[in-house]
């Protein structure tokens, strides 16, 4: 194979077939220059595709375009769903093989660009989350610091109050001697014993009062019976 100023000579039939497939499937449609394959000599025309082969290649090109359209739609759906953009995810959503995404230049570039954009969005989202968490922790730290200051102030106030109470207890202990405490304890014990005796006496008196009331009711009934008997006595004597 010789090359001179862009001219390729003495190509094989397989190379011509590959070239035709490239032109009909992957050659950029918006290119500003053209490409031409010319058979200069020789009677072998097998290098040029037959009408059936051309139709198959055209169908393959249409399938490729359809697959590329599905790839774009799959990427758009993944973006709307905020899902992870990867070769496997795009291949599954677009119903194409991973080999197609790697071999086709347009598909490979589209997926790579989508993955880069997804990485950028994910990085921005992570940065925003970090900023939010930092702001939240900063606010919590400030609140905790304020609460700590308030707790320290309360502790100091309680310590001062405890010191005052301990001082009062010390003063009271200084006023009462051991003999006075012993005397008060003895008097307290005596008073408790008197309370118990008075309680017992009160219970006995209560029982005696109940018995006296019962006797009184019995005497009242007895008097009433005697009065009734005396009232009926004269009539019984006359008879």
């Amino acid at each position: 194979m010789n090359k001179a100023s862009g001219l390729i000579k003495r190509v094989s039939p397989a190379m011509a077939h590959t070239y035709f497939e490239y032109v009909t499937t992957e050659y950029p449609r918006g290119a500003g220059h053209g490409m031409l394959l010319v058979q200069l000599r020789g009677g072998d025309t097998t290098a040029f595709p037959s009408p059936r082969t051309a139709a198959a290649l055209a169908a393959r090109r249409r399938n490729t375009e359809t697959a590329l359209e599905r790839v774009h739609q799959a990427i758009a759906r993944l973006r709307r769903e905020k899902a992870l953009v990867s070769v496997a995810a795009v291949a599954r959503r677009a119903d194409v093989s991973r080999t197609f995404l790697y071999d086709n230049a347009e598909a490979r570039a589209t997926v790579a660009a989508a993955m880069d954009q997804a990485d950028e969005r994910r990085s921005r989202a992570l940065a925003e989350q970090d900023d939010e968490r930092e702001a939240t922790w900063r606010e919590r730290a400030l609140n905790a610091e304020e609460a700590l200051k308030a707790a320290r102030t309360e502790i100091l106030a309680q310590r001062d109050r405890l010191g005052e109470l301990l001082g009062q207890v010390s003063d009271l202990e200084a006023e009462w001697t051991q003999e006075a405490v012993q005397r008060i304890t003895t008097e307290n014990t005596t008073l408790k014993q008197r309370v118990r005796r008075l309680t017992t006496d009160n219970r006995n008196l209560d029982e005696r009062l109940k018995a006296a009331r019962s006797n009184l009711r019995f005497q009242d009934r007895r008097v009433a019976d005697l009065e009734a008997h005396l009232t009926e006595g004269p009539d019984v004597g006359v008879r």
Side-chain angles (χ1 to χ4, degrees):
M1 181 174 63
N2 300 323
K3 292 183 180 180
S5 301
L7 178 63
I8 303 176
K9 300 180 179 180
R10 300 177 62 184
V11 299
S12 64
M15 184 176 180
H17 181 82
T18 303
Y19 167 77
F20 187 82
E21 181 180 359
Y22 168 73
V23 170
T24 56
T25 58
E26 299 184 13
Y27 184 70
R29 285 171 284 181
H33 60 279
M35 298 183 68
L36 178 65
L37 177 65
V38 179
Q39 183 179 4
L40 298 178
R41 65 171 64 89
D44 188 4
T45 60
T46 57
F48 296 93
S50 62
R52 182 179 299 177
T53 303
L57 292 175
R60 181 176 178 180
R61 181 176 181 177
R62 289 193 298 272
N63 292 336
T64 301
E65 293 177 352
T66 303
L68 289 174
E69 182 64 24
R70 292 202 304 271
V71 169
H72 288 289
Q73 293 176 359
I75 293 174
R77 287 198 303 271
L78 291 172
R79 287 175 177 173
R80 287 195 301 269
E81 297 172 2
K82 296 181 179 180
L84 179 64
V85 179
S86 63
V87 175
V90 174
R92 184 171 57 254
R93 292 292 186 94
D95 193 18
V96 297
S97 64
R98 298 186 185 184
T99 304
F100 173 79
L101 297 179
Y102 286 117
D103 292 344
N104 187 276
E106 183 177 351
R108 183 172 62 253
T110 302
V111 174
M115 292 175 63
D116 292 339
Q117 293 177 0
D119 291 339
E120 292 179 0
R121 288 196 298 271
R122 186 160 50 251
S123 299
R124 289 196 299 268
L126 291 175
E128 292 176 357
Q129 292 178 0
D130 291 339
D131 294 339
E132 292 177 357
R133 282 195 292 267
E134 184 178 357
T136 302
W137 283 110
R138 186 182 299 109
E139 183 178 358
R140 290 182 179 178
L142 293 175
N143 294 335
E145 186 177 358
E146 293 296 331
L148 183 59
K149 291 180 180 179
R152 288 178 177 174
T153 303
E154 182 65 20
I155 290 173
L156 292 176
Q158 293 296 334
R159 286 180 177 176
D160 294 339
R161 179 58 178 166
L162 182 60
E164 294 176 359
L165 293 176
L166 290 175
Q168 295 177 6
V169 170
S170 299
D171 294 339
L172 292 175
E173 290 178 350
E175 294 177 359
W176 293 94
T177 62
Q178 186 66 27
E179 294 179 356
V181 172
Q182 184 66 31
R183 179 174 55 79
I184 292 174
T185 303
T186 304
E187 291 179 357
N188 187 28
T189 303
T190 304
L191 290 174
K192 288 181 179 179
Q193 293 176 355
R194 291 184 61 186
V195 168
R196 285 194 295 269
R197 285 198 301 269
L198 290 174
T199 302
T200 303
D201 294 342
N202 186 28
R203 187 181 302 110
N204 294 331
L205 290 174
D206 187 50
E207 292 176 356
R208 292 176 62 183
L209 178 61
K210 290 180 180 178
R213 287 176 179 175
S214 178
N215 292 331
L216 181 60
R217 285 193 297 271
F218 176 77
Q219 294 297 331
D220 289 339
R221 285 196 300 271
R222 181 63 178 168
V223 170
D225 292 339
L226 290 174
E227 290 178 351
H229 182 69
L230 291 174
T231 303
E232 294 177 355
D235 294 336
V236 175
V238 172
R239 291 177 184 176

